[in-house]
Amino acid sequence: MPARKATEADAGLLLAWRNDPRTRQASRSTGVITLEEHSAWLRGVLASPDRELYVVEFDDVPVGTVRFDREDEGVWEVSITLAPESRGHGLSGAVLAEGERAVTASHPVRVVVAAVHRDNAASAALFDRAGYAETAPAVDGFRKLRKTVS
């Protein structure tokens, strides 16, 4: 289940996953995103040295995406989205692990943090299984989690 860097050719796929109602419900920004907004965002992400965006595939089929945003030297925030049709198949742990492997192979990462919506039990369980621990009380409905990777 390899992770590959996302490209502009992934725009339509990533937008469909982002605009899925369950994805929006768990996101910081819950509105529907237009293709124009998404394309501009994606170009910015792909051009930034402080962001990494990966598409993870299983049997050559994209099943999820993992984004990392540099918060500080050695500290990256992770965001994960599974394709709607990939949910419920036990793939989230492998998708997250592949993303972590990819970013740590490309950058000196000491800590990975995550913000998980307090109502997103599946995501909370994923990060718990992956070794993340809560670091602070929820703010604006999001729990802050942390994992030391080196």
Side-chain angles (χ1 to χ4, degrees):
M1 186 177 292
R4 63 169 175 80
K5 285 196 173 200
T7 69
E8 285 193 45
D10 295 309
L13 176 69
L14 298 177
L15 178 61
W17 293 352
R18 164 56 183 84
N19 278 339
D20 174 74
R22 283 187 50 200
T23 301
R24 290 191 351 255
Q25 182 181 17
S27 298
R28 288 182 178 137
S29 173
T30 59
V32 173
I33 303 296
T34 67
L35 178 59
E36 295 76 26
E37 291 168 326
H38 181 71
S39 295
W41 171 85
L42 182 58
R43 282 191 300 276
V45 168
L46 297 177
S48 175
D50 294 323
R51 300 181 106 175
E52 293 288 352
L53 181 63
Y54 302 100
V55 174
V56 180
E57 298 178 338
F58 181 69
D59 289 337
D60 297 322
V61 176
V63 296
T65 183
V66 188
R67 188 184 80 239
F68 293 89
D69 299 305
R70 188 187 330 252
E71 287 194 342
D72 201 353
E73 193 62 38
V75 180
W76 293 74
E77 181 175 3
V78 63
S79 300
I80 180 172
T81 301
L82 283 185
E85 61 275 9
S86 297
R87 295 179 189 139
H89 299 286
L91 297 173
S92 62
V95 169
L96 176 61
E98 286 302 316
E100 289 177 344
R101 271 193 277 286
V103 77
T104 57
S106 301
H107 299 278
V109 179
R110 292 180 294 105
V111 173
V112 179
V113 297
V116 176
H117 193 278
R118 68 173 175 250
D119 295 333
N120 191 342
S123 191
L126 162 67
F127 285 104
D128 184 55
R129 287 190 309 271
Y132 288 72
E134 194 158 352
T135 61
V139 176
D140 295 329
F142 286 86
R143 298 171 51 218
K144 196 75 162 180
L145 309 174
R146 175 186 174 104
K147 177 181 179 180
T148 302
V149 293
S150 62

